[in-house]
Amino acid sequence: MTWNINNNYKNLFSNISSNTERKSNAITNTQDLFQQTASETALKENKAAVIDHLEHTVIKNSAKLFDMAATALNHIKEEKGGYDYEDVVNTAAAAYAKLYADIEKRYQDTNASYHSADGTRVTKEDEIVWLEQAYETKIISEQTNARIAAQREKFSGHIAEVPEKEIAQIADDFYAARKRHMDFLESSKHTEQSENGK
């Protein structure tokens, strides 16, 4: 009799233990599901934060201006079969004006905040200074190209001296073209504001 009672208790405890284990597994599975969901949510939030961070990161370099000018020159070359000095000057100035307009447009949202790759805050004024530096770099690059070409011509005996005065004039041409494009940009902005009744 005692043995049967113990045996019944064993069965009872075994059933209780089995039910407890099932409940524990269900709780563990639920916890795992919550953790997975939380992990996926965190991953989505992190992804959104990373995308937002990248969209608000500004890198100081001349590549964008150089690339835009080069792309424009390639289009001209495809249309006309080549390009000349005026095209080189005007595409650089047009790229400057476009990038300037892009900067102004981004900073119209006063809540937008931009930073450099190291997290340092970047202002509209910083970006305009960087754009001016990129334009200066473009001018120096074109003057260097002209000087190298002139030295080659001198070495070949086609010219007596490297025309330093003309090479210096390149900077004036670039600044004059930039002014024309910026004046046009400003004029277009005023026209648009007038049409919108502002």
Side-chain angles (χ1 to χ4, degrees):
M1 190 75 162
T2 304
W3 186 85
N4 285 338
I5 291 170
N6 286 340
N7 197 36
N8 288 339
Y9 278 132
K10 282 181 185 175
N11 288 336
L12 178 63
F13 284 125
S14 177
N15 287 339
I16 291 170
S17 177
S18 179
N19 285 339
T20 304
E21 190 177 332
R22 278 197 296 273
K23 287 178 183 174
S24 175
N25 284 341
I27 290 169
T28 301
N29 289 340
T30 303
Q31 287 174 336
D32 288 346
L33 184 61
F34 278 132
Q35 284 176 346
Q36 183 181 350
T37 304
S39 186
E40 287 172 2
T41 302
L43 189 62
K44 285 177 186 173
E45 287 172 358
N46 284 343
K47 185 178 177 183
V50 167
I51 290 169
D52 183 68
H53 180 78
L54 290 174
E55 286 176 350
H56 289 83
T57 300
V58 181
I59 298 170
K60 177 187 176 183
N61 65 37
S62 305
K64 194 175 273 191
L65 186 139
F66 276 67
D67 289 346
M68 285 178 71
T71 300
L73 284 175
N74 282 334
H75 287 310
I76 292 168
K77 187 176 180 180
E78 286 171 9
E79 287 175 12
K80 299 194 318 188
Y83 55 82
D84 58 24
Y85 173 71
E86 288 298 318
D87 293 325
V88 172
V89 174
N90 284 316
T91 52
Y96 178 96
K98 171 72 171 76
L99 290 170
Y100 190 99
D102 290 347
I103 292 168
E104 284 202 320
K105 186 176 180 182
R106 278 194 291 108
Y107 283 93
Q108 282 177 350
D109 179 3
T110 54
N111 295 323
S113 176
Y114 295 92
H115 48 263
S116 60
D118 66 0
T120 308
R121 185 171 176 269
V122 173
T123 65
K124 175 182 169 181
E125 291 71 25
D126 291 330
E127 289 202 54
I128 289 170
V129 167
W130 295 349
L131 179 58
E132 287 173 0
Q133 289 171 347
Y135 199 69
E136 294 280 343
T137 303
K138 178 66 174 166
I139 293 169
I140 292 166
S141 172
E142 293 302 333
Q143 287 178 316
T144 301
N145 291 341
R147 188 171 285 108
I148 290 168
Q151 286 168 344
R152 206 168 22 239
E153 289 295 298
K154 181 184 174 186
F155 182 77
S156 300
H158 297 140
I159 58 174
E161 294 295 330
V162 172
E164 291 296 340
K165 187 178 177 183
E166 286 80 358
I167 291 170
Q169 179 65 38
I170 290 172
D172 295 338
D173 295 341
F174 270 79
Y175 292 132
R178 181 175 70 176
K179 185 179 185 314
R180 283 194 307 275
H181 280 82
M182 291 302 291
D183 287 347
F184 178 77
L185 180 69
E186 199 62 31
S187 171
S188 299
K189 192 163 52 173
H190 288 308
T191 303
E192 187 179 329
Q193 286 172 350
S194 298
E195 289 173 355
N196 293 334
K198 292 183 180 177

